[in-house]
Amino acid sequence: MKAKGSVFRYGDNVDTDVIIPARYLNTSDPKELAQHCMEDIDEAFITQVKKGDIIVADKNFGCGSSREHAPIAIKASGISCVIACTFARIFYRNALNIGLPILECPEAASGIASGDEVEVDFDTGTITNLSTQESWKAEPFPEFMQELIKADGLIHYIRQGGMD
Amino acid sequence: MGMTMTQKILAAHAGKQEVRAGQLILAEVDMVLGNDITAPVAVREFEKIGIDKVFDTAKVAIVPDHFTPNKDIKSAEQCKMIREFSKRQGIEHYFEIGEMGIEHALLPEKGLVAAGEVVIGADSHTCTYGALGAFSTGVGSTDMAAGMAVGKAWFKVPPAIKFTLTGKPSQWVSGKDIILHIIGMIGVDGALYSSMEFAGDGIAHLSMDDRFTMANMAIEAGAKNGIFPVDHKTISYLAEHADRSYTAYAPDDDAEYVREYVIDLASLRPTVSFPHLPDNTRTIDEVGDVPIDQVVIGSCTNGRIEDLRIAASILKGRKAAKGMRLIIFPATQKIWKQALQEGLLEIFVDAGAAVSTPTCGPCLGGHMGILAEGERAVATTNRNFVGRMGHPKSEVYLASPAVAAASALTGKITGPDALDHTIGRNQADES
């Protein structure tokens, strides 16, 4: 599986309150949530994002509230993958559980700028900056998490008997 | 190599003799929690699994506390959906307004968490119950759905960071000041993926309410959980609230800690987190002149009876500054009644406070105290992110109930020891 798109670049500690402000949490409809994704730190995001685009951030992406609405909003906005130096732990598990691809790779994060075209090969963990021709390899996920990803999230994993 | 408290609890719930940091395990859970924001998503995911009934109707708690009393039609619909689900499923621990409270104050009060248990909650502040010597951690809605269906959750066993607390804190230094100090010291990702394990003789000086506040904010350092040893205060609290047996775990002497800190509580000062991150801390002596528009006292972090008593001791016989909006929300119905019986609510009302029914509302910018552009609030809550309490250009300063109450009186961030204990007292009260 591959993803390819242009990059929205953010810094440290992007919290789930700015990914999707609580004032919009009176719904859990993915499309409605997506309309407000990132608006408190980047009003232009939702008007510019195209299907397949990629978010790249520094450390502790998705910190704060456990709201799954955050990865849901990101996924529904068309984002194909989030690459960060590190992820906050609840966001990390939520992303895996709902099937939003994420990759931890500090080297790639520091070598990618806003607007760069980036390609990600999830099978090999290879991240390529097509704008600069640099490429990096993200740490592979542990086996259990790979199974979760393969199953397209926790619910399908349970349906397949994964937690029996 | 030995295990930490967290690792021992996880091992026991995974049916293993021992676990190691980094190991992926499937653990049985003793309680699965959700609220009116996270449970609707969980219910939808639960229904996709194809299992008709929750794994145990006594081990699921659903508390509509965020946008309740229902703030608008959409919120009312979300509450209706989880109310109907709870009824259909026969969920024993569903708490409607009038008997409810903010979930993390409510569950310990109702005796739904005890030492040695594993609790997952679709709310990041589920880590609060570490104060009771339990392993509890925030998860998302899908994890909640899975937990409700099969009574299990997957975990990566966390490495541990040890915080040895020594000495006795001074009069106005509370659990809030200690945890803000720690977050300021290690940063908002200082304990990422790790457990924060508290130890040391200084813990004896901390009340259960102090410990709840500290464990509550472990997530603000990125931690998976924060956990306190079980001592005589924990045992008394559990005897009063939880009528059942439990297991008190202690760390092995040779447990592994990736880092260790020693904190002399006597050296700490009241501490305030400046916008827009909880780790942006300053002591009260360093805050300078910061005028404020609103003070919020309450939340799962600081809405317990002791927090209200401290605030009342400062507000008694005084008036909030002209133009100040002082909002106080006791965390549960029981705490509200206790505050009524102890005369605290009268003190608050006389001081010019609006006293609210329990709700998470203002803390997350939901309702009951939203900030306009450019406004500043001192809040005893847990997050001061951009837009957390309202407009993206508003500001939240996190502080203890004592600092919040003192600030309400002066209209700017103020430490309680800076208040003149005679000036500002209501003349009628003095006479």
Side-chain angles (χ1 to χ4, degrees):
Chain A
M1 196 174 79
K2 282 187 180 183
K4 191 172 142 184
S6 47
V7 166
F8 290 83
R9 186 72 173 82
Y10 302 105
D12 289 338
N13 306 314
V14 174
D15 62 78
T16 54
D17 274 271
V18 297
I19 295 173
I20 181 69
R23 58 186 179 275
Y24 303 118
L25 296 185
N26 55 6
T27 178
S28 56
D29 175 54
K31 284 201 188 87
E32 221 176 314
L33 292 170
Q35 286 167 14
H36 303 288
C37 190
M38 312 302 285
E39 77 175 26
D40 280 2
I41 52 163
D42 183 5
E43 276 181 279
F45 173 81
I46 203 60
T47 59
Q48 293 172 354
V49 67
K50 302 181 305 297
K51 192 166 170 49
D53 283 351
I54 292 167
I55 286 177
V56 179
D58 293 323
K59 62 177 190 169
N60 204 25
F61 185 86
C63 62
S65 160
S66 66
R67 60 189 72 161
E68 206 162 285
H69 310 65
I72 290 172
I74 290 173
K75 196 177 174 188
S77 74
I79 288 289
S80 63
C81 172
V82 184
I83 300 166
C85 298
T86 55
F87 289 91
R89 55 160 289 276
I90 305 178
F91 185 93
Y92 183 97
R93 63 187 296 143
N94 285 349
L96 293 184
N97 284 344
I98 71 158
L100 170 70
I102 54 170
L103 290 169
E104 275 192 345
C105 188
E107 299 77 15
S110 61
I112 298 174
S114 198
D116 284 355
E117 284 293 314
V118 165
E119 187 175 73
V120 179
D121 183 332
F122 294 109
D123 298 325
T124 62
T126 308
I127 301 166
T128 307
N129 188 339
L130 301 172
S131 304
T132 62
Q133 290 307 317
E134 275 181 287
S135 100
W136 307 269
K137 221 167 156 111
E139 278 290 306
F141 284 104
E143 197 185 326
F144 165 74
M145 294 183 191
Q146 288 187 26
E147 284 172 29
L148 264 189
I149 296 164
K150 255 186 240 155
D152 194 26
L154 186 63
I155 297 300
H156 297 289
Y157 182 72
I158 296 173
R159 285 176 66 102
Q160 293 164 14
M163 278 173 87
D164 291 346
Chain B
M1 185 60 73
M3 291 189 285
T4 64
M5 268 183 90
T6 296
Q7 290 162 359
K8 282 187 173 179
I9 296 171
L10 287 174
H13 284 74
K16 293 180 187 299
Q17 283 297 314
E18 61 168 27
V19 294
R20 292 273 156 259
Q23 187 176 343
L24 281 153
I25 57 162
L26 204 54
E28 298 203 342
V29 297
D30 298 299
M31 184 59 74
V32 180
L33 167 71
N35 59 51
D36 54 311
I37 305 291
T38 59
V41 179
V43 167
R44 268 211 307 279
E45 294 302 311
F46 175 85
E47 285 169 352
K48 286 182 198 163
I49 296 173
I51 292 176
D52 293 339
K53 292 301 247 179
V54 299
F55 83 109
D56 187 335
T57 55
K59 291 185 175 177
V60 176
I62 294 186
V63 187
D65 57 358
H66 275 59
F67 290 169
T68 57
N70 301 338
K71 81 180 179 97
D72 54 26
I73 294 171
K74 283 177 159 183
S75 305
E77 295 293 343
Q78 296 203 128
C79 287
K80 186 179 170 191
M81 185 236 204
I82 58 170
R83 182 181 305 115
E84 287 173 351
F85 173 80
S86 301
K87 200 171 170 188
R88 205 161 57 236
Q89 288 285 336
I91 305 288
E92 290 171 36
H93 306 300
Y94 169 81
F95 300 103
E96 195 55 81
I97 60 161
E99 60 168 350
M100 53 74 82
I102 298 173
E103 51 196 329
H104 308 308
L106 189 71
L107 263 58
E109 180 187 286
K110 296 271 187 197
L112 300 181
V113 185
E117 295 182 344
V118 168
V119 181
I120 58 167
D123 187 281
S124 61
H125 293 109
T126 302
C127 51
T128 307
Y129 321 128
L132 295 169
F135 171 80
S136 63
T137 192
V139 296
S141 296
T142 299
D143 277 312
M144 182 192 172
M148 288 196 297
V150 299
K152 293 177 203 164
W154 65 268
F155 297 112
K156 191 154 126 184
V157 176
I161 303 173
K162 185 176 183 180
F163 296 87
T164 302
L165 311 178
T166 65
K168 186 182 176 185
S170 61
Q171 186 191 1
W172 298 115
V173 171
S174 65
K176 183 61 163 286
D177 302 291
I178 301 167
I179 194 65
L180 290 181
H181 169 80
I182 289 173
I183 296 165
M185 182 174 72
I186 67 174
V188 289
D189 66 344
L192 198 62
Y193 304 127
S194 307
S195 65
M196 296 172 75
E197 311 249 340
F198 297 101
D201 57 15
I203 290 175
H205 301 293
L206 302 178
S207 67
M208 287 312 297
D209 284 1
D210 282 322
R211 299 178 200 184
F212 282 124
T213 303
M214 291 175 66
N216 172 275
M217 289 193 72
I219 180 68
E220 309 320 331
K224 185 169 211 132
N225 67 315
I227 194 163
F228 280 83
V230 174
D231 66 5
H232 71 280
K233 285 186 187 173
T234 330
I235 292 166
S236 311
Y237 183 95
L238 288 170
E240 191 184 334
H241 295 86
D243 181 25
R244 61 203 154 93
S245 62
Y246 57 85
T247 311
Y249 290 90
D252 289 325
D253 291 338
D254 59 346
E256 192 182 10
Y257 299 97
V258 290
R259 269 179 291 151
E260 296 193 33
Y261 297 93
V262 178
I263 297 161
D264 175 15
L265 301 181
S267 70
L268 300 188
R269 294 283 295 145
T271 299
V272 178
S273 290
F274 275 50
H276 288 287
L277 283 173
D279 66 6
N280 190 14
T281 54
R282 298 186 199 178
T283 69
I284 196 70
D285 313 298
E286 302 162 335
V287 296
D289 193 28
V290 185
I292 51 172
D293 306 284
Q294 179 170 300
V295 165
V296 172
I297 298 175
S299 82
C300 62
T301 309
N302 278 124
R304 296 180 183 81
I305 193 66
E306 201 172 276
D307 301 315
L308 301 181
R309 286 181 189 142
I310 290 168
S313 74
I314 291 165
L315 295 171
K316 188 173 184 184
R318 294 187 168 112
K319 284 272 183 212
K322 185 75 184 158
M324 169 61 56
R325 308 189 303 264
L326 170 59
I327 303 167
I328 301 178
F329 53 120
T332 68
Q333 193 81 352
K334 187 176 173 187
I335 295 167
W336 201 99
K337 187 176 175 189
Q338 201 174 350
L340 175 74
Q341 289 169 335
E342 291 183 16
L344 309 183
L345 299 190
E346 190 171 356
I347 292 169
F348 296 152
V349 172
D350 286 346
V355 182
S356 162
T357 192
T359 178
C360 306
C363 171
L364 78 161
H367 61 150
M368 296 293 289
I370 305 299
L371 299 174
E373 182 172 358
E375 288 189 333
R376 292 197 188 105
V378 169
T380 67
T381 57
N382 41 58
R383 294 193 172 122
N384 55 354
F385 300 149
V386 169
R388 172 73 180 178
M389 205 174 260
H391 196 282
K393 286 183 180 151
S394 61
E395 293 182 347
V396 178
Y397 296 75
L398 304 175
S400 68
V403 169
S407 304
L409 295 173
T410 60
K412 59 183 186 178
I413 301 178
T414 304
D417 48 6
L419 286 179
D420 183 307
H421 282 264
T422 53
I423 293 174
R425 289 276 182 192
N426 182 321
Q427 293 304 311
D429 188 74
E430 293 288 300
S431 58

